[in-house]
Amino acid sequence: MLLFSWIRAWIQSWIRRLFAPAKRQERIAARKRAEDLFDVPGSTVIVRKDASTAEWDDRIGMARVANPRGKIWNTTGVIRSSSLLCNVEETIYLVEQGCLVLTLQGRTMDLHEVLELLGVEKNGCSMDAYNVYSHFKALGYVVSRHNVDWTAKEELESIDRERDDHSSSSSLKLVFDVYAPNSQFRKTSPGVPLFSLCVSRTAPTKNQVNTLERGSKVPVKFATVQGGHVGIFSFTTVELPCLS
């Protein structure tokens, strides 16, 4: 009987290891990626007294804001079915600024854990894209994901569709829409972006530039990150005179 109990316990342990939950595997991969990409001594931030709180929802890859405080929410987060949700880049930026306390299953996440969320592909944001996002936010611009509505009545359907659009890394695509700094900005009437941004580690080809510009209703700019520095550039067609 004792031998049978031991064998059953061993089999159950083996099955748990073999069929480990996908979430756990994602977190292990995310931790390794964060360790490769970031060096965060102490992983501490100074939290403001009026900081908001949010709970990270792994299922949708977004943070659910429980008590939004301050004017930052006029230009941050999307509204889905009356819920205020933050994409991963918005979440990390606010945590770094001390404006948001993020929890997971009731436990407060430190900065290193929050940064690890960039390593999960389904969250839809790379390290380079986050650096570009934080660059423009620090300058006062209003930044949203490209072609994502600020408000919508549906939650899961629209979130799944938007996440699929932004998590794919198979081709060069527009990542962010950038609006001019505006203290009167309203999510219900955001207006037209100044330009859309494509984040790329390499220079795009002429065909890629033409494809992105033809598919955009606003000017397109390209962003690259080298050594933590963000560079922004665009292309203009110039006709050179014939000298002969």
Side-chain angles (χ1 to χ4, degrees):
M1 185 68 178
L2 182 61
L3 178 61
F4 173 78
S5 298
W6 180 86
I7 293 175
R8 184 177 61 179
W10 180 84
I11 292 175
Q12 290 174 342
S13 176
W14 180 79
I15 291 175
R16 283 196 298 270
R17 291 196 301 270
L18 182 61
F19 299 100
K23 287 185 180 180
R24 180 172 177 274
Q25 293 176 352
E26 284 182 349
R27 294 207 172 281
I28 292 173
R31 177 172 291 277
K32 184 178 184 304
R33 179 174 175 83
E35 289 172 352
D36 292 340
L37 298 179
F38 299 98
D39 179 16
V40 190
S43 298
T44 58
V45 294
I46 299 176
V47 180
R48 300 182 184 182
K49 292 182 179 179
D50 60 346
S52 304
T53 59
E55 173 80 7
W56 183 256
D57 190 334
D58 262 335
R59 184 173 57 95
I60 61 174
M62 302 180 77
R64 294 182 178 272
V65 183
N67 61 334
R69 297 177 179 176
K71 295 181 179 180
I72 56 172
W73 300 109
N74 293 342
T75 57
T76 306
V78 295
I79 299 174
R80 295 293 181 269
S81 187
S82 301
S83 297
L84 179 58
L85 306 173
C86 278
N87 290 306
V88 64
E89 63 273 15
E90 298 172 315
T91 302
I92 295 175
Y93 182 78
L94 292 178
V95 170
E96 285 190 322
Q97 299 300 310
C99 299
L100 182 68
V101 176
L102 186 65
T103 61
L104 178 65
Q105 297 177 353
R107 178 183 61 82
T108 300
M109 301 173 69
D110 62 34
L111 181 57
H112 192 90
E113 291 177 301
V114 176
L115 288 170
E116 288 176 3
L117 297 173
L118 287 175
V120 182
E121 184 178 355
K122 74 174 184 179
N123 293 340
C125 185
S126 66
M127 180 189 69
D128 284 352
Y130 173 69
N131 283 332
V132 172
Y133 173 85
S134 61
H135 172 79
F136 279 97
K137 286 293 289 185
L139 292 175
Y141 289 88
V142 179
V143 187
S144 70
R145 289 197 176 182
H146 178 62
N147 272 352
V148 172
D149 294 331
W150 288 92
T151 62
K153 293 182 179 180
E154 303 83 7
E155 181 175 324
L156 293 180
E157 292 81 358
S158 60
I159 290 173
D160 288 340
R161 182 176 62 254
E162 293 159 4
R163 185 177 60 192
D164 290 342
D165 291 342
H166 284 265
S167 62
S168 173
S169 57
S170 59
S171 61
L172 206 60
K173 59 183 179 296
L174 298 176
V175 180
F176 297 120
D177 290 332
V178 181
Y179 300 79
N182 181 5
S183 60
Q184 303 301 318
F185 182 87
R186 292 185 300 169
K187 294 179 181 179
T188 54
S189 181
V192 180
L194 284 177
F195 53 86
S196 294
L197 267 175
C198 171
V199 181
S200 175
R201 287 197 169 188
T202 59
T205 65
K206 180 180 178 180
N207 287 338
Q208 288 175 324
V209 172
N210 290 337
T211 299
L212 290 177
E213 290 183 341
R214 281 197 302 267
S216 177
K217 297 180 180 179
V218 298
V220 173
K221 295 186 183 295
F222 296 83
T224 183
V225 181
Q226 297 290 339
H229 299 286
V230 177
I232 309 296
F233 57 96
S234 58
F235 295 92
T236 302
T237 301
V238 177
E239 297 247 354
L240 295 177
C242 182
L243 299 179
S244 58

